[in-house]
Structure formats: C-alpha cells, structure tokens
Amino acid sequence: MATAAQVDEQELPPPRSSSSSEVMEQQRGNVREPLLEHSPIDLRRQAANTTSQGAIVGSNLCPIESLDYELIENDVLNQDWRSRGRAAILQYVFLKWTFCLFIGILAGAVGFFNNLAVENIAGRKFVTVSKFMLANKYWTAFWVFAGSNLTLLTFATAITAFVSTAAGGSGIPEVKAYLNGVDAPDIFSLRTLVVKIVGTIAAVSSSLHVGKADPMVHIGACIGAMVGQGGSRKYRMTCRWLRYFKNDRDRRDLVTCGAAAGVAAALRAPVGGVLFALESLSSWWRSALIWRAFFATAVVAVTLRALTDICGRGNCGLYWKGGLITYDVTADTVAYRLADLPPVILLGVIGGVLGSLYNVLMVKVLHVCSPVNERGRAHRLLLAAAVSICISCCLFGLPWLAPCRPCSNKDCSTVAHPGGFKNFQCPPDHYNDLASLFFNTNDDTIRKLYGRGTNDDFQKSSIMVAFAASYVLGILSYGVVAAPFGFFVPIMLTGASYGRLVGMAMGSDTNLDHGLFAVLGSASFLGGTMRMTVSVCVIMLELTNDLLLLPLVMLVLLISKTVADAFNPNIYDLILRLKGLPYLDDHAEPYMRHLTVGDVVAGPLRTFNGVEKVGNVVHILKTTGHHAFPVIDEPPFSSSPVLYGLVLRAHLLSLLKKKRFLPTRSVAGLDAAGQFGADELGKRGSGKHDRVEDVEVSAEEMEMFVDLHPFTNSSPYTVVETMSLAKALILFREMGLRHLLIVPKSSSRAPVVGILTRHDFMAEHILGLHPFLRKSRWKRLRFQGATLRRLCRACLTWASS
C-alpha cells in the first residue's frame, strides 16, 4: 500500500541480492539523483538493510528491541484516563513515591550486605594468610591465598555462566542503554539480580582487581525495574492498582531512581548518586524525576546509617568501619598556594593520558578474551582460573621486592588484623608497606593512601610497584567478562597510587600532603577514563568529607577529561559499542545533514485498514517482526486514503485473544473500547512478549473483521519526508520514541512513506546504504596512537627519574 518502510527491531534482514535493492528503489519512486547540488557524491541507496538486530549482552547474542516511552493515545487508554477520579490520581502519585521508598530501602540494604560480606570474606582470608606468614609458613600462606582466590572467582564465573550471563561485567552500559530506549532480554530479571549480588561478593573477595560499585548500579536498576513490573501473574501479584505502572515510561523513572540509589549505596554518596544518574546514565530527565531520585538516595543514606550503627556494637564480624564517609580525610585547613597549582595541573594531564591509554588497553583485552568466552562455559571457567592464578602470583610475589620498615610510631599489633599494616616476611616490629597495600581490601588500601600525615609510611619504590601492578592487573581483570565486576573503585585506587607518586616526586616544592595528592590522583584518573566531571567531583567530596578540596578537584577533573577526550571516548561508550547495543548519541553526525528521512528507510511497509480482515492481521503478524503498523482509512470510511494512526503488535495480539470480531466490514463503535481494560493493553515486563503462535483463531474467524480504530494511537509523531535525518534524530531521542512515521510532501501520494526506528539512525545502517558518505563522517580532533605512545614513554621516564 505504501512505498517504503522500515526494518523494525525484531524483523529479520532482507535477502542480500541486487534485485531486492532494485525493488526497493522502484517502490520508493522518489529517490533524488544528488541530494546536494554542489556535491558529486551519489547518495542513492547502495544496498539493502542487512545490519544485525542483535547485541552481545554478557557473552550471548540476543535480539534487541526498543522501549515505548511515547504515550499511547487510543480510545481504550483515553477512556481509562477519563474514568479516573481524583482519588485514582492521588493513588498513582502516592504509589510512585512509595516505590521510590522501597527502592531506597532495598538498595541500601543490599549495599550494606555487599560491604559486610566482602569485608568478612576477604578479611578472613587476609587474616589467615597473615597468620601463616607470621609463623614463617610461606608456602602454606601462598596456597591458602591462591586457592581461596581461585575458588571464589571460579564460583562467581560459574553462577554467571550457568544461571544468568546478563549479570556479567559492570552492568552500567546495559543500564545506560535501557534508559536510552534499548530493551535487552534478562538484564533486569530476578535471577540476574541474585547472580549479580552473589557473584559480585565472590569476585571482589577473590582479590581480582575489581570493585563492587558498578554492579550496585545494575543491582539498583534491577530493583527499580522489578518494582515497576506492574504485578506478576506467576506470583499472583495482580492487584488493580499495579496496572498504573505497566508501561515503559514509569518503569524508566523507577530504573533511574534505582540506578541513583545503587550509586548512593555503593559509594555512600547520596547527592553524587543523583548526579551520576543525570550525567552518565539517563538520556531523558525532568524535575519530578530529580525529586524522586533524590528522595530514593536520601532513603539509602538513612538505611545505611541505621545498619552501620548496628555494626558499631560489634555485631558484624570484621566489618567495623561504619558511617557515610568512607575515606574521612578532613583537615581543618587545606593550605595551598598558587605555586601548588602546577603539580595539580600535571596530575590532570597524567590522568588524561593514562586514562585514555587504560581505555584502549581494556578494549584490546576484551577483544582478545571475548572469543575465548564465546566458546562455551568451560572456556570461561578456564580463563577465570588462569587470570586468578596469575593475579595471585603477582600479589603474593611482588611484596618480596619491598624492603622491611621499622614500625616506629605505628601500632604493629595490627599486622595480623584486617586493615592494618602487614608484617609479611619482615622481622618483628617491622612492616612491609607493599604487602600492606596488596593484602587489604580496596577500601582499606584507599584509606591508607588517602590518609593525612602519612608521608613517611610508604617508600617511592613501593608506590611505583603498586601503581604498575594496579594498572596492569586492573586491565587484566576485565578479561573475565563472565563474572560480575566493576572498575570505579579500582580506578580510584590506581589514581591514588600515581597521585601519591607525584606528591613524592614534588618533595618540598609543594605544601600539599601526599594524601591530598592521592585524592586528586583518583579524581584525575576517574576523569580520564569515565569522562564525568560534576558527579565525580561531588562523589569525591562526599567520600572524603573534605569540601576545601573542591577547587582542586574541579581543576584536575576538567583537565583530565579534556586531555582524554583528545584520544578516545569514555569507557562506557566503548563497552556499549563492543556489546553492539544501539545507543543513540545526543549529537548528530554531519553526514546526517546531507540525508532526508526518506533516504534511510528500507523494506516493504506493512499497513492495515481501519477495519481489517482477521486473516490478514494474523498473516502479517506471522510473516513480519514489526512492532507497529500504520492504520490507513480508505473509502467508504473516508473520502480518500488518510493516515489514521499507528497500532502496536502487542495491542493486536490482545485484540485477537479477546476475539471481539465483526461479521461484516463495519465500524464497531465506542462500545468496543469499553470491552477492554487499560491493564489488558499494558505492557508486560522487560523481555516478556506475547507471541502470535499462541493465538488460536479458527478458519471461520479468519474470515471475520476487526475494528482497529479504538486500539490505534491516533496521534503518533510524524515528520515530512524532506526533514533532515539530523533533525529527526534529535526529535527521536529527546521524545523517547520507538517509531517515527514519515508522511509525504504531496497529498496526491500514499498517506505514509515509511517508519523510522532506532535502527535507521545507526551509523552502520546509514553508511551501509550510502557508503560514499563515510568520508564526511565526523571525526573528533584526536591524537594518533604514536603520539599517545610517546607521551606515555615520556611520563614513565619522568617517573623513573
């Protein structure tokens, strides 16, 4: 009926043949020879749309769909809204705030439980190893250390590989993609949540150089998504009031609040959690959402305070460090002069260079390890075992290179206790500073590096070895993609190491304490890898309880982000690309200005009449994977063909299951809308969809008709076919659309030209259709790899000198 169309998220790619391309060109009938009068480039379509509609989540290829953030305005839903009274509206608002309360309590409880478990499991391991070392049973200590690490990491990898592969990795790229409108299967399921919690505890306790902050973002998002499922028939939670949340818009808000609560629970930074979700995760924001996210993080803070007060009574085993301030380095005054700014600027530059190199090396490690993980579960376990043994050997062997130091003013009675200085192989009343960094949890190590008045606690050679080991082992750890892990805290630890190193190198030329240099080093490395400024700045201030550092932290973050942006994107965007998630950026590429929306749609467009034959509906649903279909009114229902609206596949399936069919081709009237409830048209949970194969329609019913008008969104977003693709991208992203209808410029043509979906804005698809535009693709002003290598060699030479 129409001339061009879409390949929606679920549809299989068309055959790769020249004839298919020719057919599409003939169907469109309005292709311009050159789109630019002064350009010799031929922008006509070169090939059919054959880009994959799948992505790698965890280690498995899975189909990708988009989310329906648009408000559906059809007769059924409109009638439901009109029937609601003031009490129903107040109930909806009250429930949304109540759900935010639940999210905050649950996220805070899970965050506390994770800290409690890691401190006790890892703490027991380190205490046992220290006792064997004090007894000069070095080989026994090594086998206990390496064996426990291997067991914990193998367990974390096994439950992820066998139960939920979507729980592997950081989880932040998946959350970011979801809030952008991408719906990948199982990323927010109950089993993913359980595996994420248990696997993170095991992986972090295994001395793998990873952290628990990033997984907490995914955990918080899982909690928000499950709270917003709108009830479950499986668990008999189908209360009437839960129907209000059976849509993607409300679930998106709850997932955003959950992600912010996860950051607050992991890093104990309530305000930083809100800003993290705003700056790094969410693609769509409004003031009401800020209030709810802030409320959820405030609840997290109260929950953590209540639970940590219990630990203050000695009821939590080895977990004794409570409160909301993780690294309290507050001083009455932070005296810095103008002469102290050059080393701070140097820290920013080093953080930008090292951060960009970190991203490059991490991507290379993932490229090398991904084929191994894709071979099967056995290979994932073998890779995890190899990495664990390698890291255990490094952590146990490197401290033997460090000299022993006298305890002097330090309390050496803590050498066999968690968080204290380690005797390792040293004689009594001495400690090994490098072992004190390696044989503690990440929090205890960072606390030592951030400490004020500790300039003489560590030797320069030990800090250099700690920095190199942290940098290399951190990159190596990310190869175990089958286990849940995060890299926020390890990046802080690595940055703190070279921050102290810069402070030692400056010597008496600066008044800044080495602990302050460590804080600034963490901020610079976070800015160089993650490219966040505002949220990281606030998080660092909340972690350290040192507001006087604000100007220096701001300066170092701005410099490190600017320098790193000259080399490559942030780490989350790189992982998004590796996973193949179709993320829409907030900017349009220049070549999109050369194209109109009619130049990227492809494939045969399937439409329905306002009153359609049941057999045609079933046939089209079975033979296509489109999620939505234009509804066209033709005579006798209208004087000429006119676009009535857009009907969703899910609504068509609900209509077929209800079997409200008509014997003749006639309009059912307004009574048809009253036969359906809004909850019957509500969307099921993430990754759960009805199938047309489950609908049973008899041969007699196939010959009947169904009126689609009451179920059709009569006000879909539409654009004229001459609109530039860049302008359409901004509209598509800002409005959170899944479908964007293209209407013709001339009224003499068919009422709809095609449908734009998320896939049509992907660079691979556009440049596949118009390969000559590759030369005009926007390239950021970035240095070449040789320049980066020269800068790194210069930094290493300076550090060694």
Side-chain angles (χ1 to χ4, degrees):
M1 165 126 199
T3 54
Q6 81 195 87
V7 171
D8 199 10
E9 289 84 357
Q10 301 179 39
E11 188 174 11
L12 296 175
R16 301 188 181 186
S17 64
S18 58
S19 59
S20 63
S21 178
E22 294 171 0
V23 169
M24 285 188 294
E25 293 293 343
Q26 294 170 3
Q27 288 177 338
R28 295 180 69 236
N30 64 338
V31 182
R32 306 177 182 180
E33 286 293 329
L35 294 178
L36 300 177
E37 296 181 359
H38 303 288
S39 174
I41 299 177
D42 183 7
L43 300 180
R44 290 180 296 177
R45 182 169 306 163
Q46 301 294 324
N49 184 353
T50 57
T51 309
S52 174
Q53 297 292 314
I56 297 176
V57 177
S59 298
N60 295 335
L61 191 67
C62 63
I64 293 297
E65 295 188 6
S66 292
L67 297 166
D68 298 294
Y69 290 152
E70 179 186 1
L71 283 176
I72 305 300
E73 296 182 346
N74 57 32
D75 292 343
V76 177
L77 298 179
N78 288 340
Q79 183 174 335
D80 177 75
W81 274 104
R82 286 192 294 266
S83 64
R84 296 184 187 183
R86 182 180 179 86
I89 297 176
L90 292 177
Q91 184 184 45
Y92 168 77
V93 176
F94 173 77
L95 285 174
K96 206 161 190 179
W97 284 97
T98 304
F99 284 173
C100 291
L101 174 66
F102 289 159
I103 291 171
I105 294 175
L106 292 175
V110 172
F112 172 80
F113 174 74
N114 284 359
N115 286 330
L116 180 66
V118 169
E119 292 291 334
N120 277 279
I121 295 175
R124 297 288 181 189
K125 177 184 67 178
F126 290 133
V127 167
T128 303
V129 172
S130 297
K131 289 181 178 179
F132 280 120
M133 294 296 293
L134 287 174
N136 296 329
K137 298 180 179 179
Y138 301 136
W139 280 109
T140 304
F142 170 74
W143 291 119
V144 169
F145 179 68
S148 58
N149 290 341
L150 178 62
T151 302
L152 289 168
L153 184 56
T154 303
F155 172 72
T157 306
I159 61 172
T160 306
F162 286 92
V163 181
S164 176
T165 57
S170 165
I172 288 184
E174 286 81 1
V175 175
K176 187 175 181 178
Y178 180 90
L179 296 178
N180 189 256
V182 179
D183 185 18
D186 293 331
I187 59 173
F188 294 142
S189 64
L190 178 61
R191 61 180 181 179
T192 298
L193 173 62
V194 174
V195 171
K196 198 78 175 183
I197 295 174
V198 178
T200 299
I201 294 173
V204 175
S205 302
S206 69
S207 293
L208 196 69
H209 200 69
V210 295
K212 54 185 180 293
D214 300 49
M216 267 307 302
V217 178
H218 192 184
I219 290 170
C222 286
I223 294 173
M226 287 191 296
V227 168
Q229 287 293 334
S232 172
R233 295 179 181 176
K234 179 179 179 181
Y235 299 104
R236 297 183 180 179
M237 296 176 57
T238 54
C239 298
R240 180 178 177 83
W241 48 268
L242 285 173
R243 68 177 185 174
Y244 298 143
F245 300 92
K246 298 183 72 172
N247 62 84
D248 289 330
R249 290 174 65 89
D250 288 325
R251 290 172 188 165
R252 172 184 61 184
D253 291 351
L254 294 176
V255 168
T256 304
C257 294
V263 178
L267 300 174
R268 305 186 184 185
V271 180
V274 177
L275 294 176
F276 186 95
L278 172 62
E279 182 179 8
S280 180
L281 299 178
S282 183
S283 300
W284 189 84
W285 205 270
R286 68 179 190 277
S287 58
L289 185 55
I290 294 179
W291 278 105
R292 293 191 181 97
F294 185 73
F295 173 68
T297 57
V299 173
V300 169
V302 174
T303 303
L304 287 176
R305 173 60 68 181
L307 293 174
T308 50
D309 285 345
I310 298 175
C311 288
R313 305 167 192 163
N315 300 323
C316 297
L318 298 179
Y319 182 69
W320 58 273
K321 191 69 176 180
L324 288 180
I325 306 301
T326 305
Y327 316 114
D328 195 345
V329 295
T330 305
D332 295 333
T333 58
V334 178
Y336 56 87
R337 307 166 299 175
L338 186 63
D340 296 323
L341 292 183
V344 174
I345 295 174
L346 176 64
L347 265 179
V349 175
I350 294 175
V353 175
L354 292 179
S356 58
L357 179 63
Y358 198 84
N359 292 356
V360 171
L361 296 177
M362 186 187 302
V363 171
K364 290 187 179 298
V365 168
L366 292 175
H367 274 300
V368 172
C369 295
S370 292
V372 178
N373 287 288
E374 292 171 2
R375 291 183 178 180
R377 296 166 179 170
H379 287 81
R380 298 174 197 174
L381 295 176
L382 290 175
L383 176 62
V387 172
S388 176
I389 294 173
C390 177
I391 291 179
S392 296
C393 292
C394 291
L395 294 179
F396 195 88
L398 288 176
W400 293 85
L401 303 177
C404 298
R405 309 195 70 189
C407 291
S408 62
N409 296 328
K410 297 175 185 61
D411 184 9
C412 284
S413 62
T414 62
V415 293
H417 291 76
F421 288 91
K422 303 300 178 182
N423 177 272
F424 207 63
Q425 87 289 5
C426 297
D429 296 329
H430 287 73
Y431 72 97
N432 187 311
D433 56 353
L434 191 55
S436 301
L437 297 177
F438 286 166
F439 285 83
N440 277 309
T441 61
N442 287 337
D443 285 348
D444 289 333
T445 302
I446 295 176
R447 194 175 290 114
K448 290 181 181 299
L449 294 174
Y450 282 5
R452 300 286 181 90
T454 59
N455 291 2
D456 298 328
D457 287 357
F458 302 96
Q459 290 185 335
K460 185 177 180 180
S461 59
S462 298
I463 295 296
M464 290 181 64
V465 173
F467 161 66
S470 178
Y471 195 92
V472 175
L473 296 182
I475 296 172
L476 181 63
S477 298
Y478 303 142
V480 190
V481 295
F485 61 81
F487 37 77
F488 194 98
V489 173
I491 286 176
M492 289 178 58
L493 176 57
T494 305
S497 300
Y498 76 73
R500 261 196 177 259
L501 195 59
V502 172
M504 292 177 175
M506 296 303 300
S508 59
D509 295 336
T510 178
N511 292 331
L512 297 181
D513 189 88
H514 292 178
L516 295 182
F517 273 104
V519 175
L520 296 177
S522 294
S524 69
F525 203 39
L526 287 170
T529 54
M530 300 183 179
R531 316 295 161 81
M532 294 180 292
T533 53
V534 179
S535 57
V536 169
C537 182
V538 174
I539 287 173
M540 293 302 299
L541 296 181
E542 289 185 287
L543 283 174
T544 59
N545 195 28
D546 202 339
L547 187 60
L548 296 177
L549 277 176
L550 177 61
L552 298 181
V553 173
M554 292 174 64
L555 177 63
V556 83
L557 279 170
L558 289 172
I559 294 175
S560 62
K561 181 185 185 303
T562 303
V563 173
D565 280 339
F567 294 102
N568 50 40
N570 67 76
I571 185 59
Y572 296 135
D573 287 348
L574 292 174
I575 296 178
L576 274 171
R577 295 177 185 176
L578 284 176
K579 289 181 176 289
L581 296 170
Y583 184 85
L584 292 180
D585 292 319
D586 56 357
H587 65 273
E589 297 280 356
Y591 59 77
M592 291 185 178
R593 300 286 179 187
H594 304 328
L595 297 171
T596 63
V597 292
D599 292 305
V600 295
V601 291
L605 181 64
R606 302 299 181 91
T607 64
F608 289 120
N609 293 315
V611 180
E612 186 61 77
K613 193 174 181 179
V614 174
N616 291 339
V617 175
V618 174
H619 173 72
I620 292 179
L621 291 179
K622 286 184 176 181
T623 57
T624 68
H626 297 303
H627 178 264
F629 304 87
V631 175
I632 308 296
D633 266 342
E634 293 183 332
F637 301 105
S638 63
S639 57
S640 61
V642 61
L643 174 65
Y644 183 81
L646 195 70
V647 63
L648 301 182
R649 167 182 285 264
H651 293 176
L652 290 173
L653 292 174
S654 299
L655 183 57
L656 292 176
K657 287 183 176 181
K658 197 84 170 184
K659 295 189 177 183
R660 300 296 182 180
F661 304 145
L662 303 172
T664 60
R665 191 177 183 186
S666 60
V667 178
L670 297 177
D671 294 339
Q675 299 174 0
F676 284 81
D679 53 339
E680 295 181 273
L681 299 183
K683 186 174 181 179
R684 300 177 63 186
S686 178
K688 301 176 182 178
H689 307 282
D690 293 325
R691 301 187 309 163
V692 66
E693 291 78 11
D694 299 330
V695 178
E696 296 181 0
V697 182
S698 64
E700 182 180 355
E701 291 171 335
M702 286 285 196
E703 299 300 323
M704 300 179 72
F705 296 87
V706 59
D707 184 8
L708 302 181
H709 292 97
F711 312 94
T712 301
N713 180 11
S714 58
S715 57
Y717 285 92
T718 60
V719 295
V720 183
E721 60 180 339
T722 54
M723 176 183 282
S724 71
L725 191 60
K727 190 174 181 180
L729 170 65
I730 301 303
L731 174 65
F732 195 93
R733 189 181 190 274
E734 293 298 325
M735 301 307 299
L737 304 180
R738 181 172 185 175
H739 306 95
L740 186 59
L741 288 174
I742 304 174
V743 297
K745 188 75 171 178
S746 172
S747 59
S748 61
R749 298 173 53 202
V752 59
V753 174
I755 300 179
L756 283 175
T757 64
R758 171 178 300 271
H759 175 68
D760 294 308
F761 293 101
M762 294 295 104
E764 295 81 4
H765 168 56
I766 299 172
L767 298 178
L769 298 177
H770 309 287
F772 292 105
L773 286 176
R774 294 182 184 274
K775 295 182 180 179
S776 63
R777 189 175 184 179
W778 181 62
K779 294 182 175 62
R780 302 190 64 162
L781 180 60
R782 290 191 171 122
F783 296 107
Q784 300 298 322
T787 306
L788 180 60
R789 289 191 292 270
R790 286 197 296 270
L791 288 174
C792 293
R793 284 197 296 267
C795 293
L796 292 175
T797 303
W798 173 84
S800 60
S801 62

